[in-house]
Coordinates of all heavy atoms in Angstrom, one line a residue:
M1 N 9.8 -9.9 30.0 CA 9.6 -11.0 29.2 C 8.3 -11.1 28.4 O 8.3 -11.3 27.2 CB 9.7 -12.3 30.0 CG 9.8 -13.5 29.3 SD 11.4 -13.9 28.9 CE 11.4 -15.6 28.8
A2 N 7.3 -10.5 29.0 CA 6.0 -10.5 28.4 C 6.0 -9.5 27.1 O 5.3 -9.8 26.1 CB 4.9 -10.1 29.4
I3 N 6.7 -8.4 27.3 CA 6.8 -7.4 26.2 C 7.5 -8.1 24.9 O 7.1 -7.9 23.9 CB 7.5 -6.2 26.6 CG1 6.7 -5.5 27.7 CG2 7.8 -5.3 25.5 CD1 7.3 -4.3 28.3
Q4 N 8.6 -8.8 25.2 CA 9.2 -9.4 24.0 C 8.4 -10.5 23.4 O 8.4 -10.6 22.2 CB 10.6 -10.1 24.5 CG 11.6 -9.1 25.0 CD 12.8 -9.7 25.6 OE1 12.9 -10.9 25.8 NE2 13.8 -8.9 25.8
Y5 N 7.6 -11.2 24.2 CA 6.8 -12.2 23.7 C 5.7 -11.6 22.7 O 5.4 -12.0 21.6 CB 6.1 -13.0 24.7 CG 5.0 -13.9 24.2 CD1 5.4 -15.1 23.5 CD2 3.7 -13.6 24.4 CE1 4.4 -15.9 23.0 CE2 2.7 -14.5 23.8 CZ 3.1 -15.7 23.2 OH 2.1 -16.5 22.6
F6 N 5.1 -10.4 23.2 CA 4.1 -9.8 22.3 C 4.6 -9.6 20.9 O 3.8 -9.7 20.0 CB 3.6 -8.5 23.0 CG 2.6 -7.8 22.1 CD1 1.3 -8.2 22.1 CD2 3.0 -6.7 21.4 CE1 0.4 -7.5 21.3 CE2 2.1 -6.0 20.5 CZ 0.7 -6.4 20.5
W7 N 5.8 -9.1 20.7 CA 6.2 -8.7 19.4 C 6.4 -10.0 18.5 O 6.4 -9.8 17.2 CB 7.5 -8.0 19.4 CG 7.2 -6.6 20.1 CD1 7.7 -6.2 21.3 CD2 6.4 -5.6 19.6 NE1 7.2 -5.0 21.6 CE2 6.4 -4.5 20.6 CE3 5.7 -5.3 18.4 CZ2 5.7 -3.4 20.4 CZ3 4.9 -4.2 18.3 CH2 5.0 -3.2 19.3
R8 N 6.4 -11.1 19.1 CA 6.5 -12.4 18.3 C 5.1 -13.0 18.2 O 4.9 -14.0 17.4 CB 7.4 -13.4 19.0 CG 8.8 -12.9 18.9 CD 9.7 -14.0 19.4 NE 9.3 -14.6 20.7 CZ 10.1 -14.6 21.8 NH1 11.3 -14.2 21.8 NH2 9.5 -15.1 22.9
H9 N 4.1 -12.4 18.7 CA 2.8 -13.0 18.8 C 2.1 -12.8 17.3 O 2.4 -11.8 16.7 CB 1.9 -12.3 19.8 CG 0.6 -12.9 20.1 ND1 -0.5 -12.6 19.2 CD2 0.1 -13.8 21.0 CE1 -1.5 -13.4 19.7 NE2 -1.1 -14.1 20.7
P10 N 1.3 -13.7 16.9 CA 0.8 -13.6 15.5 C -0.1 -12.3 15.4 O -0.2 -11.8 14.3 CB -0.2 -14.8 15.4 CG 0.5 -15.8 16.3 CD 1.1 -15.1 17.5
L11 N -0.7 -11.9 16.4 CA -1.5 -10.6 16.4 C -0.6 -9.4 16.1 O -1.0 -8.6 15.3 CB -2.3 -10.4 17.7 CG -3.2 -9.2 17.7 CD1 -4.2 -9.1 16.6 CD2 -3.8 -9.0 19.1
A12 N 0.5 -9.4 16.8 CA 1.5 -8.3 16.5 C 1.9 -8.3 15.1 O 2.1 -7.2 14.5 CB 2.7 -8.5 17.5
E13 N 2.2 -9.5 14.5 CA 2.6 -9.6 13.1 C 1.5 -9.2 12.2 O 1.7 -8.5 11.2 CB 3.1 -11.0 12.8 CG 3.5 -11.2 11.3 CD 4.6 -10.2 10.9 OE1 5.4 -10.0 11.7 OE2 4.6 -9.8 9.7
Q14 N 0.3 -9.5 12.5 CA -0.9 -9.1 11.7 C -1.0 -7.5 11.7 O -1.2 -6.9 10.7 CB -2.2 -9.7 12.2 CG -3.4 -9.2 11.4 CD -4.7 -9.9 12.0 OE1 -4.6 -10.7 12.9 NE2 -5.8 -9.4 11.6
V15 N -0.8 -6.9 12.9 CA -1.0 -5.4 13.0 C 0.2 -4.8 12.1 O -0.1 -3.8 11.4 CB -0.9 -5.0 14.5 CG1 -0.7 -3.5 14.6 CG2 -2.0 -5.4 15.2
R16 N 1.4 -5.4 12.2 CA 2.5 -4.8 11.4 C 2.3 -5.0 9.9 O 2.5 -4.1 9.1 CB 3.9 -5.5 11.8 CG 4.5 -5.0 13.1 CD 5.9 -5.6 13.2 NE 5.9 -7.1 13.3 CZ 5.8 -7.8 14.4 NH1 5.6 -7.1 15.6 NH2 6.0 -9.1 14.4
E17 N 1.7 -6.1 9.5 CA 1.4 -6.3 8.1 C 0.3 -5.4 7.6 O 0.5 -4.7 6.5 CB 0.9 -7.8 7.9 CG 0.6 -8.2 6.5 CD 1.8 -8.5 5.7 OE1 2.9 -8.5 6.3 OE2 1.7 -8.7 4.5
E18 N -0.7 -5.2 8.4 CA -1.7 -4.2 8.1 C -1.2 -2.8 7.9 O -1.5 -2.1 7.0 CB -2.9 -4.2 9.1 CG -3.7 -5.5 9.0 CD -4.7 -5.6 10.1 OE1 -4.8 -4.7 11.0 OE2 -5.3 -6.7 10.2
G19 N -0.2 -2.4 8.8 CA 0.4 -1.2 8.7 C 1.3 -1.0 7.4 O 1.2 0.1 6.8
R20 N 1.9 -2.1 7.0 CA 2.7 -2.0 5.8 C 1.8 -1.9 4.6 O 2.1 -1.1 3.7 CB 3.6 -3.3 5.7 CG 4.8 -3.3 6.6 CD 5.7 -4.5 6.2 NE 5.2 -5.7 6.6 CZ 5.4 -6.4 7.8 NH1 6.1 -5.8 8.7 NH2 4.9 -7.5 8.1
I21 N 0.7 -2.6 4.6 CA -0.3 -2.5 3.5 C -0.8 -1.0 3.4 O -0.8 -0.5 2.4 CB -1.4 -3.5 3.7 CG1 -0.8 -4.9 3.5 CG2 -2.6 -3.2 2.8 CD1 -1.8 -6.0 3.9
Q22 N -1.2 -0.4 4.5 CA -1.7 0.9 4.6 C -0.7 1.9 4.1 O -1.0 2.8 3.3 CB -2.3 1.2 5.9 CG -2.9 2.6 6.0 CD -3.5 2.9 7.3 OE1 -3.2 2.2 8.3 NE2 -4.2 4.0 7.4
D23 N 0.6 1.7 4.5 CA 1.6 2.7 4.1 C 1.8 2.5 2.6 O 1.9 3.6 1.9 CB 2.9 2.2 4.7 CG 3.0 2.7 6.2 OD1 2.1 3.5 6.6 OD2 3.8 2.2 6.9
R24 N 1.8 1.4 2.0 CA 2.0 1.2 0.6 C 0.8 1.8 -0.2 O 1.0 2.4 -1.3 CB 2.1 -0.2 0.1 CG 3.5 -0.8 0.6 CD 4.5 -1.0 -0.5 NE 5.7 -1.4 0.0 CZ 6.1 -2.7 0.3 NH1 5.3 -3.6 0.1 NH2 7.3 -2.9 0.7
Q25 N -0.4 1.6 0.3 CA -1.5 2.2 -0.4 C -1.5 3.7 -0.5 O -1.7 4.3 -1.5 CB -2.8 1.8 0.3 CG -3.2 0.3 0.3 CD -4.2 -0.1 1.3 OE1 -4.4 0.6 2.3 NE2 -5.0 -1.2 1.0
E26 N -1.2 4.3 0.7 CA -1.1 5.7 0.8 C 0.1 6.2 0.0 O -0.1 7.3 -0.6 CB -0.9 6.2 2.3 CG -2.2 5.9 3.1 CD -2.0 6.1 4.6 OE1 -0.9 6.5 5.0 OE2 -3.0 5.9 5.3
M27 N 1.2 5.6 0.0 CA 2.3 6.1 -0.8 C 2.0 6.1 -2.2 O 2.4 7.1 -3.0 CB 3.6 5.2 -0.6 CG 4.9 5.7 -1.3 SD 5.2 7.4 -1.0 CE 5.8 7.3 0.7
T28 N 1.4 5.1 -2.8 CA 1.0 5.0 -4.1 C 0.2 6.2 -4.6 O 0.4 6.8 -5.6 CB 0.3 3.7 -4.4 OG1 1.1 2.6 -4.2 CG2 -0.1 3.6 -6.0
L29 N -0.8 6.5 -3.8 CA -1.7 7.6 -4.0 C -1.0 8.9 -3.9 O -1.2 9.8 -4.7 CB -2.9 7.5 -3.1 CG -3.9 6.3 -3.4 CD1 -5.0 6.3 -2.2 CD2 -4.5 6.4 -4.7
R30 N -0.1 9.0 -2.9 CA 0.6 10.3 -2.7 C 1.6 10.5 -3.8 O 1.7 11.7 -4.2 CB 1.4 10.1 -1.3 CG 1.8 11.4 -0.8 CD 2.4 11.3 0.6 NE 1.5 10.6 1.6 CZ 1.8 9.6 2.3 NH1 3.0 9.1 2.3 NH2 0.9 9.1 3.1
V31 N 2.2 9.5 -4.4 CA 3.2 9.7 -5.5 C 2.4 10.3 -6.7 O 2.8 11.3 -7.3 CB 3.9 8.4 -5.9 CG1 4.5 8.6 -7.3 CG2 4.8 8.0 -4.9
L32 N 1.2 9.8 -7.0 CA 0.4 10.4 -8.1 C 0.1 11.8 -7.8 O 0.1 12.7 -8.6 CB -0.8 9.6 -8.3 CG -0.7 8.2 -8.9 CD1 -2.0 7.4 -8.8 CD2 -0.2 8.2 -10.2
E33 N -0.4 12.1 -6.6 CA -0.8 13.4 -6.2 C 0.4 14.4 -6.3 O 0.3 15.5 -6.7 CB -1.4 13.5 -4.8 CG -2.8 12.7 -4.9 CD -3.3 12.5 -3.4 OE1 -2.7 12.8 -2.4 OE2 -4.4 11.9 -3.4
W34 N 1.6 14.0 -5.8 CA 2.9 14.8 -5.9 C 3.2 15.1 -7.3 O 3.7 16.2 -7.6 CB 4.0 14.1 -5.2 CG 4.0 13.9 -3.7 CD1 3.3 14.8 -2.9 CD2 4.7 13.1 -2.9 NE1 3.5 14.4 -1.5 CE2 4.4 13.4 -1.6 CE3 5.5 11.9 -3.2 CZ2 4.9 12.6 -0.5 CZ3 6.0 11.3 -2.2 CH2 5.7 11.6 -0.8
R35 N 2.9 14.1 -8.2 CA 3.3 14.4 -9.5 C 2.2 15.2 -10.3 O 2.3 15.5 -11.5 CB 3.5 13.0 -10.2 CG 4.7 12.3 -9.7 CD 5.0 11.0 -10.3 NE 5.3 11.4 -11.8 CZ 4.8 10.7 -12.8 NH1 4.0 9.8 -12.6 NH2 5.1 11.1 -14.0
G36 N 1.1 15.6 -9.6 CA 0.0 16.4 -10.2 C -0.9 15.6 -11.0 O -1.6 16.1 -12.0
I37 N -0.9 14.3 -10.9 CA -1.9 13.4 -11.6 C -3.2 13.3 -10.9 O -3.1 12.7 -9.7 CB -1.1 12.0 -11.9 CG1 0.1 12.3 -12.7 CG2 -2.1 11.1 -12.6 CD1 0.9 11.0 -12.9
P38 N -4.3 13.7 -11.5 CA -5.6 13.5 -10.8 C -5.9 12.0 -10.5 O -5.6 11.1 -11.3 CB -6.6 14.1 -11.8 CG -5.8 14.9 -12.7 CD -4.4 14.3 -12.8
V39 N -6.3 11.7 -9.3 CA -6.7 10.4 -9.0 C -8.2 10.2 -8.8 O -8.8 10.7 -7.8 CB -6.1 10.0 -7.6 CG1 -6.4 8.6 -7.2 CG2 -4.5 10.2 -7.7
P40 N -8.8 9.7 -9.9 CA -10.3 9.4 -9.8 C -10.8 8.6 -8.5 O -9.9 7.7 -8.1 CB -10.7 8.8 -11.1 CG -9.4 9.0 -11.9 CD -8.3 9.1 -11.0
D41 N -11.9 8.7 -8.1 CA -12.4 7.9 -7.0 C -12.3 6.4 -7.2 O -11.9 5.7 -6.4 CB -13.8 8.2 -6.6 CG -14.0 9.6 -6.0 OD1 -13.0 10.2 -5.4 OD2 -15.1 10.2 -6.0
A42 N -12.5 6.0 -8.5 CA -12.5 4.6 -8.8 C -11.1 4.0 -8.6 O -10.9 2.9 -8.2 CB -12.9 4.3 -10.3
V43 N -10.1 4.8 -9.1 CA -8.7 4.3 -8.9 C -8.3 4.4 -7.4 O -7.7 3.4 -6.9 CB -7.7 5.3 -9.7 CG1 -6.3 5.0 -9.4 CG2 -7.9 5.1 -11.2
R44 N -8.7 5.4 -6.7 CA -8.4 5.5 -5.2 C -9.0 4.3 -4.6 O -8.3 3.6 -3.7 CB -9.0 6.7 -4.7 CG -8.7 7.0 -3.3 CD -9.2 8.3 -2.7 NE -8.7 9.4 -3.5 CZ -7.5 10.0 -3.4 NH1 -6.7 9.5 -2.5 NH2 -7.2 11.0 -4.1
E45 N -10.2 3.9 -4.9 CA -10.9 2.8 -4.2 C -10.2 1.5 -4.6 O -10.0 0.6 -3.6 CB -12.4 2.7 -4.7 CG -13.2 3.8 -4.1 CD -14.5 3.9 -4.6 OE1 -15.0 3.0 -5.4 OE2 -15.3 5.0 -4.4
R46 N -9.7 1.3 -5.7 CA -9.0 0.1 -6.1 C -7.7 0.0 -5.4 O -7.3 -1.1 -4.9 CB -8.7 0.0 -7.6 CG -10.0 -0.3 -8.4 CD -9.8 -0.3 -9.8 NE -9.2 -1.6 -10.2 CZ -8.9 -1.9 -11.4 NH1 -9.1 -1.1 -12.5 NH2 -8.3 -3.0 -11.7
V47 N -7.0 1.1 -5.3 CA -5.7 1.1 -4.6 C -5.9 0.7 -3.1 O -5.3 -0.1 -2.5 CB -4.9 2.4 -4.7 CG1 -3.7 2.4 -3.7 CG2 -4.5 2.6 -6.2
L48 N -6.9 1.3 -2.4 CA -7.2 1.1 -1.1 C -7.8 -0.2 -0.8 O -7.7 -0.7 0.3 CB -8.1 2.2 -0.5 CG -7.5 3.7 -0.5 CD1 -8.5 4.7 -0.1 CD2 -6.3 3.7 0.4
A49 N -8.4 -0.9 -1.8 CA -8.9 -2.2 -1.6 C -7.8 -3.3 -1.7 O -8.1 -4.4 -1.3 CB -10.0 -2.5 -2.7
C50 N -6.7 -2.9 -2.3 CA -5.6 -4.0 -2.5 C -5.0 -4.2 -1.3 O -4.5 -3.3 -0.5 CB -4.6 -3.4 -3.6 SG -3.3 -4.6 -3.9
A51 N -4.8 -5.5 -0.9 CA -4.2 -5.9 0.4 C -3.0 -6.8 0.1 O -2.5 -7.4 1.0 CB -5.1 -6.5 1.2
D52 N -2.5 -6.9 -1.1 CA -1.4 -7.7 -1.5 C -0.2 -6.8 -1.6 O 0.0 -6.0 -2.5 CB -1.7 -8.4 -2.7 CG -0.6 -9.2 -3.3 OD1 0.6 -8.9 -3.3 OD2 -0.8 -10.3 -3.8
L53 N 0.8 -7.0 -0.7 CA 2.0 -6.1 -0.6 C 2.8 -6.2 -2.0 O 3.3 -5.2 -2.4 CB 3.0 -6.5 0.5 CG 2.5 -6.1 1.9 CD1 3.4 -6.7 2.9 CD2 2.6 -4.5 1.9
G54 N 2.9 -7.3 -2.6 CA 3.5 -7.5 -3.9 C 2.9 -6.6 -5.0 O 3.6 -5.9 -5.8
R55 N 1.7 -6.7 -5.0 CA 0.8 -6.0 -6.0 C 1.0 -4.5 -5.8 O 1.1 -3.6 -6.6 CB -0.7 -6.4 -6.0 CG -1.5 -5.7 -6.9 CD -1.2 -6.1 -8.3 NE -2.2 -5.5 -9.2 CZ -1.9 -5.1 -10.5 NH1 -0.7 -5.3 -10.9 NH2 -2.8 -4.5 -11.2
L56 N 0.9 -4.1 -4.4 CA 1.0 -2.7 -4.1 C 2.4 -2.1 -4.4 O 2.5 -1.0 -4.9 CB 0.8 -2.5 -2.6 CG -0.6 -2.6 -2.2 CD1 -0.8 -2.8 -0.7 CD2 -1.5 -1.4 -2.7
E57 N 3.4 -3.0 -4.4 CA 4.7 -2.5 -4.9 C 4.8 -2.2 -6.3 O 5.3 -1.2 -6.7 CB 5.8 -3.7 -4.5 CG 7.2 -3.3 -4.9 CD 7.8 -2.2 -4.0 OE1 7.4 -2.1 -2.8 OE2 8.7 -1.5 -4.5
V58 N 4.1 -3.1 -7.1 CA 4.0 -2.9 -8.5 C 3.2 -1.6 -8.8 O 3.7 -0.8 -9.6 CB 3.3 -4.1 -9.2 CG1 2.9 -3.7 -10.7 CG2 4.2 -5.3 -9.1
L59 N 2.2 -1.4 -8.1 CA 1.4 -0.1 -8.3 C 2.1 1.1 -7.9 O 2.1 2.1 -8.6 CB 0.1 -0.2 -7.4 CG -1.0 -1.3 -7.8 CD1 -2.1 -1.2 -6.8 CD2 -1.4 -1.2 -9.2
A60 N 3.0 1.1 -6.9 CA 3.8 2.2 -6.4 C 4.8 2.4 -7.5 O 5.1 3.7 -7.9 CB 4.4 1.9 -5.1
Q61 N 5.4 1.4 -8.1 CA 6.4 1.6 -9.2 C 5.8 2.2 -10.4 O 6.3 3.1 -11.0 CB 7.1 0.3 -9.5 CG 8.0 -0.2 -8.5 CD 8.5 -1.6 -8.7 OE1 8.3 -2.1 -9.8 NE2 9.3 -2.1 -7.8
R62 N 4.6 1.8 -10.7 CA 3.9 2.4 -11.9 C 3.5 3.8 -11.6 O 3.5 4.6 -12.5 CB 2.6 1.6 -12.2 CG 2.9 0.2 -12.8 CD 1.6 -0.6 -13.0 NE 2.0 -1.9 -13.6 CZ 1.1 -2.8 -13.8 NH1 -0.1 -2.6 -13.7 NH2 1.5 -4.0 -14.4
A63 N 3.2 4.2 -10.4 CA 2.7 5.5 -10.1 C 3.9 6.5 -10.4 O 3.7 7.7 -10.7 CB 2.4 5.6 -8.6
V64 N 5.2 6.0 -10.2 CA 6.3 6.9 -10.4 C 6.4 7.3 -11.9 O 6.9 8.4 -12.3 CB 7.6 6.2 -10.0 CG1 8.8 6.9 -10.5 CG2 7.6 6.0 -8.5
H65 N 6.0 6.4 -12.8 CA 6.1 6.6 -14.3 C 4.9 6.9 -15.0 O 4.9 7.3 -16.2 CB 6.8 5.4 -14.9 CG 8.1 5.0 -14.3 ND1 9.3 5.8 -14.6 CD2 8.5 4.1 -13.5 CE1 10.2 5.3 -13.9 NE2 9.9 4.2 -13.2
A66 N 3.8 6.8 -14.4 CA 2.4 6.9 -15.0 C 2.2 8.3 -15.5 O 2.7 9.3 -14.8 CB 1.3 6.5 -14.1
T67 N 1.5 8.5 -16.5 CA 1.0 9.9 -16.9 C -0.5 10.0 -16.6 O -1.0 11.2 -16.8 CB 1.3 10.1 -18.5 OG1 0.6 9.0 -19.2 CG2 2.8 10.1 -18.7
D68 N -1.2 8.9 -16.3 CA -2.6 8.9 -16.0 C -2.7 7.8 -14.9 O -2.2 6.8 -15.0 CB -3.4 8.6 -17.2 CG -4.9 8.7 -16.9 OD1 -5.4 7.6 -16.5 OD2 -5.5 9.6 -17.2
A69 N -3.6 8.1 -13.9 CA -3.8 7.2 -12.8 C -4.3 5.9 -13.2 O -4.0 4.9 -12.6 CB -4.7 7.8 -11.7
A70 N -5.0 5.8 -14.3 CA -5.6 4.5 -14.8 C -4.5 3.6 -15.2 O -4.7 2.4 -15.3 CB -6.5 4.8 -15.9
E71 N -3.3 4.1 -15.5 CA -2.2 3.2 -16.0 C -1.7 2.3 -14.8 O -1.1 1.3 -15.1 CB -1.0 4.1 -16.4 CG -1.2 4.9 -17.7 CD -0.1 5.7 -18.1 OE1 1.1 5.5 -17.7 OE2 -0.3 6.8 -18.7
L72 N -2.1 2.5 -13.7 CA -1.7 1.7 -12.5 C -2.3 0.3 -12.8 O -1.7 -0.8 -12.4 CB -2.2 2.2 -11.2 CG -1.7 3.5 -10.7 CD1 -2.3 3.8 -9.3 CD2 -0.2 3.5 -10.6
F73 N -3.4 0.2 -13.4 CA -4.1 -1.0 -13.6 C -4.2 -1.4 -15.1 O -5.1 -2.1 -15.5 CB -5.5 -0.9 -13.1 CG -5.5 -0.6 -11.6 CD1 -5.8 0.7 -11.1 CD2 -5.3 -1.6 -10.6 CE1 -5.8 0.9 -9.8 CE2 -5.3 -1.3 -9.3 CZ -5.5 0.1 -8.9
A74 N -3.1 -1.1 -15.8 CA -3.1 -1.4 -17.3 C -3.2 -2.8 -17.6 O -3.6 -3.2 -18.7 CB -1.9 -0.7 -17.9
D75 N -2.7 -3.6 -16.8 CA -2.7 -5.1 -17.1 C -3.9 -5.8 -16.8 O -3.9 -7.0 -16.9 CB -1.4 -5.7 -16.4 CG -1.5 -5.7 -14.9 OD1 -2.3 -4.8 -14.3 OD2 -0.8 -6.4 -14.2
E76 N -4.9 -5.1 -16.3 CA -6.1 -5.8 -15.9 C -7.3 -5.6 -16.9 O -7.3 -4.7 -17.6 CB -6.5 -5.4 -14.5 CG -5.6 -5.7 -13.4 CD -5.9 -5.1 -12.1 OE1 -7.0 -4.6 -11.9 OE2 -5.1 -5.4 -11.2

């Protein structure tokens, strides 16, 4: 019973959320690297600083079509 309760605990949800955020950050950077697009430190830092899953989804989608890493933040 205690094990099932833990997975519903707010701390467990926070850990899962942080994992999803980290996965999206890493995937966005990985897509650029797979495509042979250089990722400057400034872009890497901005992606890793982003903690909004919705925004990270947008960045990941842009990474698929970008020709330059700076295009991830074209709307800012």
